[in-house]
Amino acid sequence: DRLGEKPFFYYINEIGIECSSCLRSICVNNQFEINEIAKDMYVNYGFIYDSSCIFKEVNKLQAGHYFIYDLKTNIIKIEKYWDIDGTGFKKYPKFTTEEDIIDYIDKLLENSIKLRIENLDKFGVAISSGTDGFTLFSYLNQMGKNIPLFNIISSKKTQFNEYPDALLHVQKLDKNKQINAKYLDENDLFNGIENYFKYSIIL
């Protein structure tokens, strides 16, 4: 994770190492002391930066870094593998109008999507009433990609069901396009929890 979008926490003790992208899973069998400096960071800035964590005993891997952990010696070695090349900012074009900026961002998004799908034979898009999935669908639609859309409904309550709004947005671009909707009740969620953990660990 070059930019640290997904946190990676780790905790080393006399037994070994525990690591997870979810801090809660490390806390299950441990009692930690609050890191007051990290707490101040969160209060002042809205996030905790660098390798700090809300708990004193837990660390967070910095963006663009990896570590090697020796199981025999219990020693961890952290290395940087990537950083932003500041010279790249000088390569951006000089924008004179708002339309120039919009065109530039449009091309960046289009090229980014093309790069990510060029080697995929089959794929679909999870779509809700939000901007991200619909934006992805609209670009793929412009590229002539007839990809399947799906939406998972996890509640019978209307305010939590995004399917109707999602379908409305999609059919403004393609009036015949349908969204495959799947309703999951509590039994589905519990029955599928084993696979959820299995595939989460693999990923």
Side-chain angles (χ1 to χ4, degrees):
D1 187 354
R2 293 176 296 175
L3 297 175
E5 183 180 355
K6 186 74 172 174
F8 188 90
F9 301 102
Y10 62 95
Y11 164 57
I12 299 174
N13 56 27
E14 64 278 359
I15 300 174
I17 186 171
E18 294 181 45
C19 48
S20 174
S21 60
C22 178
L23 188 56
R24 186 182 302 166
S25 62
I26 296 179
C27 297
V28 171
N29 299 310
N30 300 293
Q31 294 291 326
F32 298 124
E33 186 179 349
I34 293 292
N35 182 341
E36 294 296 330
I37 295 175
K39 185 174 77 173
D40 289 343
M41 287 182 199
Y42 187 79
V43 170
N44 286 304
Y45 307 116
F47 67 97
I48 300 171
Y49 55 85
D50 292 337
S51 59
S52 300
C53 176
I54 195 64
F55 298 119
K56 279 187 178 180
E57 300 87 345
V58 181
N59 291 292
K60 182 174 61 185
L61 191 63
Q62 288 182 255
H65 286 67
Y66 69 90
F67 69 69
I68 298 174
Y69 177 74
D70 192 316
L71 293 169
K72 293 180 180 178
T73 62
N74 212 25
I75 293 175
I76 189 169
K77 183 180 179 182
I78 300 173
E79 298 281 352
K80 178 186 281 191
Y81 70 89
W82 184 87
D83 202 351
I84 293 175
D85 179 6
T87 60
F89 293 109
K90 299 175 183 177
K91 299 175 184 177
Y92 290 157
K94 299 289 184 182
F95 300 115
T96 55
T97 66
E98 184 176 328
E99 287 73 21
D100 291 338
I101 298 172
I102 293 172
D103 288 342
Y104 183 72
I105 294 174
D106 179 57
K107 289 292 186 296
L108 284 178
L109 284 170
E110 183 180 351
N111 290 334
S112 176
I113 293 169
K114 283 180 177 177
L115 283 171
R116 283 159 176 78
I117 66 170
E118 62 182 357
N119 294 319
L120 298 178
D121 293 326
K122 294 181 179 179
F123 64 95
V125 172
I127 194 161
S128 63
S129 60
T131 304
D132 48 358
F134 179 72
T135 300
L136 182 56
F137 164 70
S138 64
Y139 275 91
L140 291 168
N141 189 58
Q142 291 173 34
M143 296 174 196
K145 302 287 185 181
N146 184 23
I147 42 92
L149 305 176
F150 65 93
N151 178 271
I152 296 174
I153 303 169
S154 58
S155 174
K156 291 181 178 177
K157 295 180 180 179
T158 306
Q159 66 265 35
F160 300 123
N161 183 354
E162 298 187 56
Y163 176 82
D165 286 337
L167 185 61
L168 184 67
H169 294 325
V170 164
Q171 291 190 341
K172 285 181 180 179
L173 286 182
D174 184 345
K175 63 180 181 180
N176 296 316
K177 190 68 175 177
Q178 296 297 320
I179 300 175
N180 298 311
K182 171 65 178 174
Y183 172 74
L184 298 182
D185 60 19
E186 291 181 358
N187 291 328
D188 291 318
L189 296 176
F190 283 117
N191 292 336
I193 200 71
E194 186 175 332
N195 281 335
Y196 170 79
F197 283 116
K198 180 174 70 175
Y199 291 114
S200 294
I201 292 170
I202 291 172
L203 292 173

